[in-house]
Amino acid sequence: MPSSVVISARGEQRVRAGHPWIYRTDVMNVEAEGGDLVTVIGPRNRRLGHALFSDRSQITLRMLNVGEGDAGHALIRSRLERAIAFRESLGIDANAYRLVHAEGDLLPSLIVDRYDRHLVIQSLSQGVDRLQSEIVSILAELLRPEGILARNDPKVRMLEGLEQTVEVLHGSVPASVTVHEGPVEYDVDLRTGQKTGLFLDQRENRDAAVRYARGRLLDCFSYNGGFSLRLAHQCAEVEAIDISADAVVRIRVNAERNGVPHVVAREANVFDELRRLERAGARYDTIVLDPPAFAKNKASVANALAGYKEINLRAMRLLASGGYLITCSCSYNVNEEMFGAMLHEASIDSRVPMTIVEKRMQGRDHPVLVGVPETYYLKCFILRRVE
Ligand code: SAH
């Protein structure tokens, strides 16, 4: 018996509006097991399409296709092919980038990142776990990588009742791989680095910052130095701050490798450090704020906004006249409008008039699916202190 799930009228409306997620509250009847590829049936017994079913998550169904078509091997393969072809068409000057961005490539809850001749895949649902070996063999055939690593260790897998594992699924994966992003070279540890190793979603924002950065640069939440290393050649002094000792070691290694010894990294809490620098009367020509997601869920939005405002208003005060602030948020619960309103308040409270030079988002290899706000998570505004 093929698996099927019947959903409510409201669920059907969401499917018709193009949203790939159906929540548990809109599920009426289940004849399926966790991880099954199911036929989705509307309240009037109409077949609506196919989805990956989860018996644990609040997101019970992730739509793979809408309408009559099949959702088997051929669909998965063609979606992977399209995702890869799109990246190849972008002319990305890097050999590390995202190949598959889950919902943004109509492959919900699947991430695939390329690090030169190695791939890292991440499965975020029971359904993708079930398809994982099929996906790995398609990727191996299409891309002929030297190795494929599963970084199945993000916490969200717990919501699906899935274990956290890191394992090589194909070929071999060395302890460290070398990749380049534009002119910058990195050593990346794919097994333990944050996300899948690097923050690939910021590549184009780092490139954009090249147009403005100069003088003294303060790179806050620097991780292994993405912004610092990209901007170092045009900045006389570079200070990078991260709370993680491991990140500070990585930035030092990468600064050495890229021949930019004036990048000075230190381990500190940015909140404390900005306050201290303000008291000390420090001034910077360029400041980057790239914090982790402060709002992990809707309940934490108010606190998150207070945190964003705090660091932004202090950064505005630390800027020299005519200086640039590159400020980011990767919390999708804080949307662009809320982020803009927070920056407005920070400018009022700091009494520093700022102009918006650019409004940016995650790189093009992390596509946003129209009508699905969850896929637009990274905001990056470039502001200028007017006087
Ligand atoms: N800017 C980086 C990515 C930053 S990710 C890039 O371009 O690649 C966020 C970083 O913030 C992580 O490395 C994390 O260790 C650090 N972090 C989190 N909370 C912090 C805090 N309060 N102070 C300083 N660093 C913090």
Side-chain angles (χ1 to χ4, degrees):
M1 234 319 258
S3 306
S4 63
V5 172
V6 180
I7 62 174
S8 68
R10 194 176 60 176
E12 181 173 359
Q13 265 170 19
R14 274 175 77 80
V15 172
R16 298 214 181 279
H19 205 291
W21 297 350
I22 304 300
Y23 293 105
R24 186 149 307 271
T25 46
D26 286 319
V27 169
M28 319 280 285
N29 187 42
V30 172
E31 276 172 38
E33 289 183 5
D36 280 356
L37 174 62
V38 299
T39 304
V40 180
I41 298 172
R44 287 180 304 280
N45 213 18
R46 239 202 329 241
R47 290 164 65 106
L48 302 177
H50 297 91
L52 302 175
F53 170 69
S54 169
D55 66 3
R56 286 289 284 277
S57 166
Q58 285 306 309
I59 305 170
T60 305
L61 296 173
R62 292 178 169 87
M63 299 301 296
L64 268 182
N65 67 348
V66 176
E68 289 298 317
D70 260 0
H73 182 85
L75 181 74
I76 304 291
R77 191 188 165 94
S78 78
R79 293 256 164 97
L80 289 170
E81 283 172 349
R82 277 172 209 270
I84 294 165
F86 171 57
R87 280 27 174 221
E88 282 167 358
S89 76
L90 290 177
I92 296 173
D93 178 18
N95 59 8
Y97 49 83
R98 181 148 293 186
L99 277 174
V100 177
H101 187 53
E103 281 73 4
D105 285 289
L106 307 183
L107 286 164
S109 59
L110 171 68
I111 303 286
V112 184
D113 289 340
R114 175 184 167 206
Y115 289 87
D116 193 17
R117 293 187 305 275
H118 296 89
L119 304 180
V120 181
I121 90 164
Q122 219 160 45
S123 156
L124 305 174
S125 71
Q126 295 174 355
V128 169
D129 260 32
R130 188 84 74 77
L131 294 171
Q132 186 169 273
S133 60
E134 186 176 330
I135 291 166
V136 165
S137 64
I138 298 171
L139 291 170
E141 184 201 324
L142 294 176
L143 296 164
R144 308 241 159 251
E146 280 176 18
I148 303 181
L149 180 75
R151 269 300 292 272
N152 285 339
D153 57 344
K155 283 207 191 75
V156 290
R157 279 175 62 89
M158 291 185 329
L159 302 177
E160 294 273 328
L162 298 169
E163 58 186 17
Q164 291 170 273
T165 60
V166 177
E167 55 184 326
V168 175
L169 300 177
H170 171 87
S172 64
V173 178
S176 167
V177 300
T178 303
V179 297
H180 82 94
E181 220 185 68
V184 177
E185 270 191 6
Y186 295 96
D187 283 328
V188 188
D189 180 340
L190 302 180
R191 286 176 178 82
T192 63
Q194 294 197 38
K195 301 244 260 185
T196 60
L198 286 180
F199 287 84
L200 302 171
D201 49 8
Q202 288 284 28
R203 184 189 55 255
E204 294 176 0
N205 296 327
R206 296 185 191 113
D207 289 344
V210 166
R211 298 198 278 265
Y212 312 102
R214 63 202 158 74
R216 290 190 76 194
L217 164 68
L218 181 65
D219 179 9
C220 300
F221 308 95
S222 51
Y223 184 47
N224 62 358
F227 281 95
S228 293
L229 298 171
R230 187 76 178 88
L231 305 176
H233 285 293
Q234 62 204 73
C235 295
E237 289 172 49
V238 182
E239 289 171 45
I241 303 172
D242 201 285
I243 205 163
S244 142
D246 182 50
V248 169
V249 170
R250 284 172 201 243
I251 198 171
R252 288 187 183 139
V253 170
N254 286 321
E256 179 125 351
R257 152 168 224 123
N258 286 281
V260 282
H262 65 301
V263 173
V264 178
R266 61 180 186 272
E267 186 186 329
N269 183 328
V270 166
F271 284 86
D272 300 337
E273 195 62 5
L274 290 177
R275 238 174 278 140
R276 187 187 69 76
L277 290 167
E278 195 185 327
R279 273 198 307 272
R283 277 277 176 281
Y284 294 90
D285 304 292
T286 311
I287 300 179
V288 175
L289 294 175
D290 183 20
F294 288 161
K296 296 268 190 220
N297 50 47
K298 288 228 163 27
S300 55
V301 166
N303 277 340
L305 283 169
Y308 286 122
K309 182 173 159 188
E310 154 101 15
I311 55 175
N312 278 280
L313 83 77
R314 294 200 189 279
M316 288 172 187
R317 287 194 190 138
L318 285 170
L319 276 179
S321 169
Y324 287 95
L325 173 61
I326 294 121
T327 181
C328 313
S329 163
C330 57
S331 306
Y332 82 78
N333 289 299
V334 171
N335 64 27
E336 187 185 308
E337 202 183 333
M338 294 153 91
F339 190 62
M342 175 280 296
L343 289 170
H344 178 198
E345 280 180 30
S347 161
I348 299 288
D349 287 12
S350 62
R351 297 197 191 82
V352 178
M354 304 289 297
T355 54
I356 300 174
V357 182
E358 287 195 38
K359 279 186 183 181
R360 310 184 49 83
M361 57 182 203
Q362 64 226 44
R364 294 168 301 159
D365 49 334
H366 295 60
V368 173
L369 187 59
V370 170
V372 183
E374 292 87 348
T375 60
Y376 173 20
Y377 65 100
L378 178 60
K379 281 75 51 189
C380 173
F381 285 20
I382 301 179
L383 307 177
R384 179 171 178 272
R385 177 168 174 157
V386 187
E387 57 182 27

